[in-house]
Amino acid sequence: MSGHSAVRNNPLMQVLRAPADALQFNARQWEDLLWHARITRLSGRVWYLFEQSGMTDRVPEPIRRRLYSAFLEAEYHRRQLLWEIDRIHRAFYGSGRSFVVMKGGAYVALGLRAAIGRPVADVDIMVAPDAIAEAEQMLLKHGWEAVIEDAYDQRYYRRWMHEFPPLRHRVRETEMDLHRGILPLTSRLRTDAESLYRMSVVLDERGTRVFSPPDMLLHCAVHLFHDGEIRGALRDLVDLDSLFREFGERTGFWASLIPRAVELGLQRPLFYALRYTMRLLETPVPQEALHAAEIGRPAAGILAFMDWTVPAALVPPLSSDEALASSLAGFCLYMRSHWLRMPLGPLSKHLARKSLRRLWSSEPGVRDAAG
Amino acid sequence: MIVGDLSFEEFERALNGPGVGLRIGPFSVRIRDGHQELFAPTFHTLYSEFPLLPESEPAEFRIQLRDPVGLRRWWRRQMFFRLDDSDPFYPFPAGLAYPFFEWGLNWCIYEHVHEFFVIHSAVVEKRGRALLMSAPPGSGKSTLCAALVNRGWRLLSDEFAIIDKTNGHLIPIPRPVGLKEQSIEIIRKFAPESWIGPAFADTSKGTVAHMRPPAGAVARMNEPALPAWLVFPTYEANAVTALSPVSKASAFITASENSFNYKVLGESGFECHARLIDQCDCFDLKFSDLNAALDLIEELPAARGSAP
C-alpha cells in the first residue's frame, strides 16, 4: 500500500520528473505510459516534455504517434479557446463589464508553458461578484444556453455554488462555467472574491483579464485540494508544478506568494500544493518560501491522512493492489471534499435528494459503439 | 509471423493470456480476452494474413473484450469493449463481440488519430492510383468496395482514407470489409469465392457480416497509393445509374464534412484536403445497379484527365 514505491516505479511519474528515463523502458512500460497518460489527459503534455528533451525520435513509433496526436488535439483546443474568448468579448461588448479567464484558458491566453500540450475541455470565466446575473443574461442573448434544465440543480448552483449552472453555446457546442468566486459559498474555507477580481491583470487591449500570478497559482491549489475530486486529477498537480517553475523564475514571485495566500486565507491549499508537487514531481522551491509556507501546515493527524491519500489518489494505479488503494484513498478524499464544501445540514439534505433521484433515473455517460 | 501461422488453439491461448499483438495498417493493436464462442474463430480467420507484433514492440491500442462483473456475466450475457482500462461504450450482447470489436477499433481511429488526415471513405487502388469513395453510412460504399476488390482492385480500406500529411499518400489499412443487410447476399452471389464471416443479426445497424481481405491486399499493406478519383456514391432504388462530374469546390465541402479531423488539424488539415481535391477527379455516383456502377468506375482510368 506504500504510495512511494508506486510513485517511483510508475512510468508516467518517471517521465513527468525525468523524461529521459523513458529511454530505458521496455514495450510493456511504454504501453503503461500511454495508458496512464491517456486516462490523466496528459498525453499531449508528455509529448511536449519529450520534445523539450530532444528525444521524440527515440520514442517507439506507435507511442510517438499517439502522444503527438494528443498534442495536436491540445493545439486545436488552444485555437478554439482563443476564439471563445473573442466571442465572449462580443457578448459583453458595450456593457462596460469585463471578465477574468481562469485555469487552462488563462494559461493559453498568457502563453504559459503550462498550456503546452494541455487539452482544455471548457472555458472558465469569472466576473465581478456583483455582475454575475448581468453576465449570464448577456451570454444567453448571444447563443449560450443552460446545459442543466432541472430546476433543483439550477437552484442548487445559484444558491450555493461559486459558479452558475454551466452554459453551452448552441452552435459551437463549447461549454462554459461562469464563476463569481473560486470556492462554494458554503465552503469551510472562505476567500475574498472581490479581491481576486480587483487584483486581476488586463492582458490585452480588449480588456481580457487573468488572475495575478500568485492568485492563479492559489486558485489552482484551491481547485485541486479544496474543490474537486483529487483522484484522477494528476493533471492539476502538473499545472501547479509548471506554474511554480515558470512564475518562480520571476523576481518577487516567491516573496509575494505566501503573504497573498495568508491575505486570502489560502495558506492551507498552498502548503499542500508545495508539499505534493515537491514530493511527486520534484518541483524546485526556495528554502525561505518553504519555511514561510509552514504557516499553512495542518495538524499532524490531518497531514498523515493527506500524505497517505493524496499520492495514492493522484498516481494512476498499475496493479490491482494499487487500484484498490487508489479507490479507497479516492473515497476518503471524496468524503473530505463534501465535508469541506458544505456544513452538515445542507450537505445531508443535498446528498439524500441526489441519491433518491438516482434511484429512478439512470444517467447515460457512455454511448453505443455502433452509433 | 502472421496470425495464420498460429494454430487456432495457440491463437486462442494467446488471446486469453497475454493478448495477441497485430499490426493493422499503420497501427499496432493488442487484443485480449474475448471469451466468446464466435469471436476467436471469426477473428482468427478474418485477420489470418495480418502480421503479429514483435515481442519488443509496444501497441498503441490495448483493447480488451471483457466480461462484466455480476449477473450479466451469465444471464443474457453482455461484454464491454475496453481501451486501456476505460469503457467508452455501453455493454453489448456477448454474441456480438466481433462486430463490436470492429466498431470499437473504428472509434479508436477516428477519436485518437491526428497524425494522419482521416476521411470516412473506402479506398481501392489499381495501377498505383487510388479511388476514394466517401459517403455517410448506408450509401453503398462498402458494397461497391467489396465488389471492386473482387474485380481486381486492391483494398486499402472500406472505412478510412488515411492520408500522410507530408506527401498526400494514402496509407492502407486493409481490414475486413463490413457488409450490412442485403449487401451480404449481394456480395456472396457476386463473389462466391470470397470468404464472408458469420452474419450477426440484430445489431444497431441491422445484420452485419465481414468479408475477409484478400491476402494480396494485406501483404501489400505497407505500399501507399496516390489519390486519383474521389467519388460520392449514393445507392437509390430504381435510380438511373450514372456518374456525373462534381466541381472541385463542392467536392471540397462534401469531403470535408466526411473528414474526422479536418477541424482538429486546422491549417494543415485545410492544406491536406486542398491537395487531395487537386489530385482527384471528382464525381457523384448515383446507382441502383451494382454491375452498371462497377462498369462506370472501371472506365475511370481511361477517362483520366478529361474530367473538369
Side-chain angles (χ1 to χ4, degrees), chain B residues 15-237:
Chain B
L15 195 63
N16 297 334
V20 177
L22 340 187
R23 171 157 299 290
I24 302 180
F27 307 118
S28 55
V29 178
R30 193 178 310 283
I31 162 151
R32 271 176 58 200
D33 294 350
H35 300 267
Q36 203 283 320
E37 56 196 292
L38 269 183
F39 180 78
T42 309
F43 190 89
H44 186 246
T45 311
L46 287 169
Y47 280 87
S48 64
E49 304 296 327
F50 283 75
L52 294 164
L53 281 188
E55 197 85 343
S56 61
E57 196 177 319
E60 61 208 281
F61 297 118
R62 277 201 302 199
I63 291 167
Q64 217 183 336
L65 293 165
R66 194 183 54 95
D67 283 311
V69 183
L71 197 60
R72 295 307 286 270
R73 206 178 175 127
W74 295 281
W75 177 71
R76 300 177 64 178
R77 185 174 160 212
Q78 289 186 330
M79 285 178 105
F80 280 97
F81 176 95
R82 307 194 104 185
L83 174 65
D84 293 329
D85 69 345
S86 59
D87 305 319
F89 309 116
Y90 289 120
F92 48 85
L96 302 181
Y98 185 76
F100 267 86
F101 163 74
E102 289 291 340
W103 289 324
L105 186 54
N106 287 348
W107 174 85
C108 291
I109 294 169
Y110 68 68
E111 195 68 24
H112 291 278
V113 171
H114 305 301
E115 71 276 22
F116 297 111
F117 179 46
V118 186
I119 302 179
H120 192 205
S121 172
V123 187
V124 292
E125 172 261 358
K126 210 171 204 177
R127 288 186 219 99
R129 296 197 294 183
L131 159 70
L132 287 84
M133 293 179 288
S134 179
S139 48
K141 115 185 113 66
S142 291
T143 319
L144 284 167
C145 173
L148 285 167
V149 165
N150 284 300
R151 274 204 182 183
W153 290 67
R154 169 162 74 113
L155 174 69
L156 270 76
S157 171
D158 85 316
E159 187 74 20
F160 295 111
I162 295 187
I163 298 174
D164 186 327
K165 287 188 278 190
T166 59
N167 55 21
H169 290 176
L170 287 154
I171 312 292
I173 173 160
R175 288 160 60 198
V177 178
L179 299 168
K180 274 173 283 193
E181 302 285 348
Q182 307 92 311
S183 58
I184 302 169
E185 243 352 87
I186 292 171
I187 296 301
R188 271 193 216 284
K189 285 206 188 94
F190 184 89
E193 69 285 3
S194 67
W195 193 88
I196 296 179
F200 299 92
D202 298 323
T203 76
S204 55
K205 295 187 170 187
T207 303
V208 295
H210 303 79
M211 186 188 85
R212 186 159 97 156
V218 183
R220 293 175 62 195
M221 198 162 75
N222 296 324
E223 252 177 69
L226 278 173
W229 307 279
L230 173 57
V231 169
F232 303 108
T234 325
Y235 173 80
E236 205 180 292

Side-chain angles (χ1 to χ4, degrees), chain B residues 140 143-144 147 151 186-187 190 241 287-295:
Chain B
T143 319
L144 284 167
R151 274 204 182 183
I186 292 171
I187 296 301
F190 184 89
T241 300
F287 74 105
S288 55
D289 177 9
L290 181 62
N291 280 301
L294 296 176
D295 290 343

Side-chain angles (χ1 to χ4, degrees), chain A residues 31 38 65-66 69 367 370, chain B residues 26 30 59-60 84 90 115:
Chain A
E31 287 181 6
R38 230 179 233 151
R65 283 194 307 246
R66 297 283 64 74
S69 283
R367 55 185 139 171
Chain B
R30 193 178 310 283
E60 61 208 281
D84 293 329
Y90 289 120
E115 71 276 22

